[in-house]
Amino acid sequence: MKRFYMLLVAVAVIGGGALWYGSQRPAAPPAPSAPLPVAAAEAFHGYTLGSDSAPIEVTEYSDFECPFCASFATVQMPVIREQLIATGKLRWRFRDFPLPSHKYSRYAAMAAQCAGEQGKFWEMHDQLFNNHQWAQTGKNPRSLFRDFGRAIGLDLDKYDACMDGQRYAARLEASVQEGEALGVRGTPSFFVNGRPYTGRGTSDDFKALADSLTKKHK
Amino acid sequence: MIRRQAIVLLALVGLLVATYLWLYKIGMLGELQCGTGSCEYVQTSRFAELFGIPVAFYGVVGYAGLLGLGLAGLQPRFAANRRVGALLATLATAGFAFTLYLTAIELFVLHALCRWCVVSAVIMTAIWVLSIVGLRHPPSMAR
């Protein structure tokens, strides 16, 4: 019996030590999951904003957990929407590029896609970027994202079913693969009419670019 | 007596696994060491909480209860006590039923398996089998 208790104490000490050690270590980036078949992505090429007849299309590869993407979405994008997209000069295409170093970016991208299924992609996009504190806490954002969904009027049962079934996992993977094939290495990355954009990514730069491209078209 | 020892040892390992998942859930662990499983996906799904409490915490409480009861059952004065055996079997049955529910959610709703949940399910199943067998063949005397 004494040996049994010694074994018990040994297991408790080793297991408890491993848990303590794990809680002290900084979070390492999660291993990328196995790629899903691109064919399942039903040739989806991202949600767009703006007129189909706009002469210029900007494609943005973005990550919802990336602070630069959040800064761009909250500072530059409102001006771009108002002055370039709403005026028909530009069409904006959003592509997901969740970086493997970000713990919940793929989950956030899935939330936006599941909102998109109910016609509220951009509303969820705005919620995720405007309330970006979730990306700094490192805590599970599931209930917060549901709150975002509730705030924008999603049917939460449908949203939950979509999230639980990982309905758009293949779509997200396809977006990442397409981005990689185009040479995207970080976020946000932009392409203007299919060509890589290397400017500063400010609304002023996009305005100047739109003006110069529009003149060429005329 | 060997069966109760096995229950105690299994409950301790189960307690460690449940604590690991619970610590992750409350944000004290950065990531789950899961290999190719879908631990994070399962743990971030809405089924990872029940009545606002992480499912893993129910596991911590359940395994702690089994561990405490098992240790009590190893004491000479309780070794032949049928009540301890019955309590163990009751708690293990509740744990096993909960495990079946969670495994069904993983398999048929989430279509994803969390390896640590599988480990816990195997442990709980083993405890349940041992406790039921122990109920039918209680230890007669403490040695």
Side-chain angles (χ1 to χ4, degrees):
Chain A
M1 190 58 100
K2 195 175 171 186
R3 283 172 64 188
F4 170 71
Y5 283 118
M6 283 173 67
L7 172 68
L8 216 56
V9 169
V11 171
V13 168
I14 292 169
L19 286 175
W20 178 82
Y21 176 72
S23 68
Q24 301 301 307
R25 275 192 324 157
S33 52
L36 292 157
V38 174
E42 13 94 59
F44 178 81
H45 295 295
Y47 285 96
T48 58
L49 270 182
S51 166
D52 285 344
S53 59
I56 303 161
E57 178 175 289
V58 175
T59 303
E60 175 192 9
Y61 279 86
S62 185
D63 172 335
F64 283 107
E65 199 170 333
C66 141
F68 305 108
C69 303
S71 168
F72 177 81
T74 52
V75 178
Q76 308 296 339
M77 199 59 190
V79 181
I80 293 171
R81 278 194 199 190
E82 185 187 328
Q83 298 186 6
L84 299 174
I85 297 173
T87 53
K89 291 180 180 172
L90 210 77
R91 180 174 55 258
W92 201 268
R93 187 177 293 279
F94 185 95
R95 306 301 324 265
D96 286 296
F97 199 80
L99 297 167
S101 55
H102 290 153
K103 190 174 175 185
Y104 291 114
S105 60
R106 196 171 281 261
Y107 189 74
M110 185 75 78
Q113 292 297 328
C114 287
E117 184 181 79
Q118 297 184 43
K120 306 252 180 179
F121 171 82
W122 292 103
E123 287 85 345
M124 184 59 105
H125 165 281
D126 293 349
Q127 289 283 339
L128 291 166
F129 279 137
N130 291 342
N131 304 288
H132 208 241
Q133 298 88 334
W134 65 267
Q136 276 96 55
T137 63
K139 288 188 178 167
N140 178 1
R142 187 190 71 84
S143 52
L144 181 68
F145 289 0
R146 290 186 88 242
D147 288 343
F148 292 167
R150 191 178 290 115
I152 60 174
L154 290 185
D155 178 331
L156 289 181
D157 287 338
K158 285 182 186 169
Y159 169 83
D160 285 338
C162 175
M163 294 295 283
D164 294 340
Q166 301 188 66
R167 196 168 291 161
Y168 296 102
R171 182 184 279 188
L172 295 179
E173 191 55 38
S175 183
V176 170
Q177 288 180 15
E178 285 174 34
E180 284 172 347
L182 289 169
V184 174
R185 293 288 174 268
T187 54
S189 286
F190 304 98
F191 293 82
V192 176
N193 287 343
R195 301 171 75 96
Y197 169 75
T198 53
R200 289 183 302 152
T202 64
S203 56
D204 284 343
D205 277 14
F206 278 114
K207 262 160 47 184
L209 185 74
D211 286 342
S212 71
L213 288 174
T214 310
K215 276 175 195 159
K216 275 188 198 170
H217 274 270
K218 283 178 182 171
Chain B
M1 192 58 76
I2 193 83
R3 272 192 297 270
R4 289 215 175 141
Q5 287 181 347
I7 287 175
V8 166
L9 195 58
L10 285 166
L12 177 61
V13 176
L15 179 63
L16 289 167
V17 171
T19 304
Y20 178 56
L21 293 173
W22 178 56
L23 288 177
Y24 166 77
K25 190 71 185 165
I26 61 174
M28 288 188 65
L29 291 174
E31 65 169 301
L32 288 174
Q33 301 297 325
C34 192
T36 55
S38 307
C39 295
E40 290 211 344
Y41 180 71
V42 171
Q43 289 297 317
T44 52
S45 80
R46 68 186 160 123
F47 297 102
E49 285 182 10
L50 193 63
F51 307 121
I53 297 171
V55 162
F57 185 70
Y58 292 98
V60 171
V61 173
Y63 281 120
L66 284 166
L67 180 62
L69 266 176
L71 281 170
L74 287 176
Q75 304 311 306
R77 63 187 171 132
F78 292 124
N81 189 326
R82 289 187 69 90
R83 273 191 180 176
V84 172
L87 271 173
L88 262 177
T90 305
L91 188 54
T93 302
F96 180 61
F98 194 48
T99 293
L100 282 181
Y101 160 74
L102 293 175
T103 306
I105 292 288
E106 285 186 89
L107 288 175
F108 304 117
V109 180
L110 299 176
H111 305 290
L113 273 176
C114 156
R115 282 190 179 181
W116 290 105
C117 308
V118 173
V119 169
S120 175
V122 169
I123 290 171
M124 189 54 87
T125 305
I127 289 175
W128 178 69
V129 170
L130 287 166
S131 68
I132 296 297
V133 173
L135 201 59
R136 299 183 66 154
H137 308 284
S140 52
M141 289 278 286
R143 284 174 199 163

